[in-house]
Amino acid sequence: TGYADGFRRIRYTDTYTSGCNMVDYNSPFSHTAGEITIADDIVYATAGGVTDAYGFQYNRSGFYLLEDHTWPLVEGEVIVRTGAAFEPASKVGLASVTGDVLRTGGTTSIGADDLDEKLERMGGTVESFIGDTSGRVSFSFLSQDADTGLDLVADILRNPAFDQDKIDVAMEGQKAGIARRNDDLNGIVGREIQRAVWGPDHPYARNTEYATLEAISRNDVVGFYEYFYHPDNMMIAVWGDFDPAQMLAALEARFGDWPAGNVEVPDLPNEPNETQRRRVLVADKSDVNQARFSMGHIGMRADDPDYYSMSVANRILGGGFGDRLFNEVRTNRGLAYNVGSTTGAGFSTPGVFQAYCGTKSGTTEEAVGVIIDTIEEMRAEQVSEQELTDAKEAMLNSNVFNYV
């Protein structure tokens, strides 16, 4: 409801104002909290302690329950306040390895291979990872297996074994990624635009290297887990085919006696190290006859007051089929097979606004010029009422797929 209403309130002057911030290398970005509308049928379940306005409980896990009997499934996600942003610069990759092996390394009561086999017999899944700003454990089971599945989830979260063999496997996977990361033009540009915008030494722009992996020990993995994985530092959401009262009791039985960790998690490093200024950075890759480029700057958080208007403005500029960049760069001039833009809106941290394009090496300069001209036109002139209406309707129509 809040998502749709936010777009319906937008006027063409709002998109104009947001468009003026595109590729403005001197514009500040806001962290002001915005209005958030929550669905009425979500149950916020807590069991004592201090609870904030969103149902998060500071001395135990906050349980978020949504009853839905459409399918005989119980699914959920655990979100942990952690991330690669907090790993040492000398051990980049530690968070990712910890997130992988939390699930693949088994627990103190069931080995890694036995855990895989048990989940396969159930037709269930448990997946774990740690990104830049959060760690997540997702799960899905048939409702008839919910009790067994929740036992496994609790065991994985509370008693991971971090088997050394599985740590080695995760390390080898990371090394394989390093070895092939320069094979893909998109990967190169995506990596380098983050370094250009945030600064090469910024936590959001650092890259895992062979040396940083070699510096990671099992003790580091265990220590990273033990610091961040506590009930007062996580939220648990469960949705599906269950009775809320019974599910709350099931979660309390598995997590209620888990002691709080009283973790002091640092603030996220949401300020760039790099001074925002116009620059042209080139990565030479002479074994291809194509080019990929991206231009951008720090974006915004999703609680920014301009989030909705910026999203619509980006939809008009380069966020969908038939947008201005698509029409001008691809359809009218035939310069690109892939062109578009992103708002650069993140939830816990600002993203990176980008306009990007894939083209032939010989037409790179022309394509760059056309994109800059299109952005400047977007900044200088108000969009038409028809463009505004079409963009809003397209976004609202596509939003339905967020709920299936």
Side-chain angles (χ1 to χ4, degrees), residues 23 186 189-194 197 292-299 310 314 317-318 325 340-345 351-357 371 375:
V23 195
N186 292 338
V189 171
R191 181 175 72 238
E192 295 305 320
I193 190 68
Q194 296 294 325
V197 171
R292 174 82 177 189
F293 64 84
S294 179
M295 59 187 75
H297 58 71
I298 292 292
M310 184 63 182
N314 182 71
L317 174 68
L325 290 178
S341 62
T342 62
T343 57
V352 174
F353 168 80
Q354 296 184 54
Y356 57 85
C357 179
I371 290 180
I375 293 174

Side-chain angles (χ1 to χ4, degrees), residues 321-339:
F321 187 81
D323 57 57
R324 289 188 178 188
L325 290 178
F326 184 96
N327 289 337
E328 188 60 31
V329 179
R330 177 171 173 168
T331 303
N332 295 343
R333 300 178 185 246
L335 293 174
Y337 52 86
N338 177 254
V339 64

Side-chain angles (χ1 to χ4, degrees), residues 171-192:
M171 292 281 202
E172 290 304 313
Q174 294 278 333
K175 292 176 182 177
I178 295 172
R180 62 175 182 266
R181 68 186 178 193
N182 286 336
D183 295 341
D184 177 40
L185 290 176
N186 292 338
I188 295 172
V189 171
R191 181 175 72 238
E192 295 305 320

Side-chain angles (χ1 to χ4, degrees), residues 19 22 30 35 37 59 70 80 84 86 105 110 153 178 196 268 279 282-283 304 326 343 369 388 398:
M22 293 178 177
S30 171
E35 179 182 356
T37 302
N59 69 336
T70 304
V80 184
F86 306 122
I110 182 170
V153 171
I178 295 172
L268 288 167
R279 293 177 295 158
V282 179
D304 191 290
F326 184 96
T343 57
L388 178 62
S398 66

Side-chain angles (χ1 to χ4, degrees), residues 10 67 76 129 134 180 231-232 245 282 353:
I10 294 169
E67 184 180 6
F129 77 94
S134 68
R180 62 175 182 266
D232 52 328
V282 179
F353 168 80

Side-chain angles (χ1 to χ4, degrees), residues 11-320:
R11 304 160 298 172
Y12 66 89
T13 51
D14 295 324
T15 61
Y16 169 67
T17 302
S18 294
C20 287
N21 288 327
M22 293 178 177
V23 195
D24 182 353
Y25 291 83
N26 298 311
S27 63
F29 53 92
S30 171
H31 289 179
T32 305
E35 179 182 356
I36 299 175
T37 302
I38 304 296
D40 293 335
D41 51 355
I42 295 179
V43 177
Y44 300 113
T46 57
V50 179
T51 304
D52 71 9
Y54 301 105
F56 182 76
Q57 191 169 358
Y58 290 109
N59 69 336
R60 287 200 191 171
S61 298
F63 301 135
Y64 297 71
L65 310 179
L66 179 60
E67 184 180 6
D68 180 1
H69 299 286
T70 304
W71 306 105
L73 295 172
V74 171
E75 300 179 304
E77 187 165 65
V78 181
I79 302 178
V80 184
R81 194 168 2 185
T82 182
F86 306 122
E87 65 191 359
S90 62
K91 299 182 179 182
V92 176
L94 172 61
S96 179
V97 171
T98 303
D100 286 349
V101 188
L102 177 71
R103 158 64 184 87
T104 64
T107 74
T108 55
S109 63
I110 182 170
D113 295 338
D114 291 338
L115 175 58
D116 291 342
E117 184 179 343
K118 189 167 188 175
L119 285 168
E120 186 174 351
R121 287 200 307 268
M122 293 169 53
T125 61
V126 180
E127 303 294 339
S128 172
F129 77 94
I130 298 177
D132 283 343
T133 60
S134 68
R136 294 174 185 256
V137 176
S138 60
F139 54 88
S140 176
F141 310 104
L142 291 171
S143 50
Q144 67 188 35
D145 298 324
D147 284 337
T148 302
L150 289 175
D151 286 341
L152 294 176
V153 171
D155 199 22
I156 290 168
L157 281 168
R158 299 184 62 170
N159 308 299
F162 291 114
D163 181 85
Q164 181 64 58
D165 288 343
K166 298 301 182 181
I167 292 177
D168 293 341
V169 170
M171 292 281 202
E172 290 304 313
Q174 294 278 333
K175 292 176 182 177
I178 295 172
R180 62 175 182 266
R181 68 186 178 193
N182 286 336
D183 295 341
D184 177 40
L185 290 176
N186 292 338
I188 295 172
V189 171
R191 181 175 72 238
E192 295 305 320
I193 190 68
Q194 296 294 325
R195 288 167 55 85
V197 171
W198 289 102
D201 298 323
H202 195 281
Y204 298 153
R206 295 186 306 215
N207 297 300
T208 304
E209 305 291 351
Y210 293 120
T212 63
L213 289 175
E214 292 297 331
I216 297 170
S217 68
R218 182 180 181 276
N219 287 339
D220 294 322
V221 173
V222 173
F224 195 86
Y225 160 80
E226 290 180 343
Y227 186 86
F228 289 102
Y229 279 70
H230 299 281
D232 52 328
N233 199 43
M234 63 177 60
M235 297 178 286
I236 301 176
V238 186
W239 58 91
D241 183 26
F242 57 79
D243 174 83
Q246 293 177 357
M247 179 55 67
L248 175 58
L251 293 171
E252 275 295 313
R254 291 162 175 82
F255 297 101
D257 63 343
W258 193 0
N262 300 313
V263 179
E264 292 186 10
V265 179
D267 291 336
L268 288 167
N270 286 349
E271 296 289 342
N273 294 339
E274 186 66 45
T275 301
Q276 301 297 289
R277 65 190 190 279
R278 289 199 181 219
R279 293 177 295 158
V280 177
L281 306 174
V282 179
D284 181 39
K285 187 168 175 59
S286 57
D287 58 336
V288 297
N289 60 2
Q290 299 173 339
R292 174 82 177 189
F293 64 84
S294 179
M295 59 187 75
H297 58 71
I298 292 292
M300 61 173 61
R301 287 197 348 181
D303 59 358
D304 191 290
D306 287 332
Y307 169 71
Y308 289 113
S309 54
M310 184 63 182
S311 298
V312 174
N314 182 71
R315 177 63 178 78
I316 294 169
L317 174 68

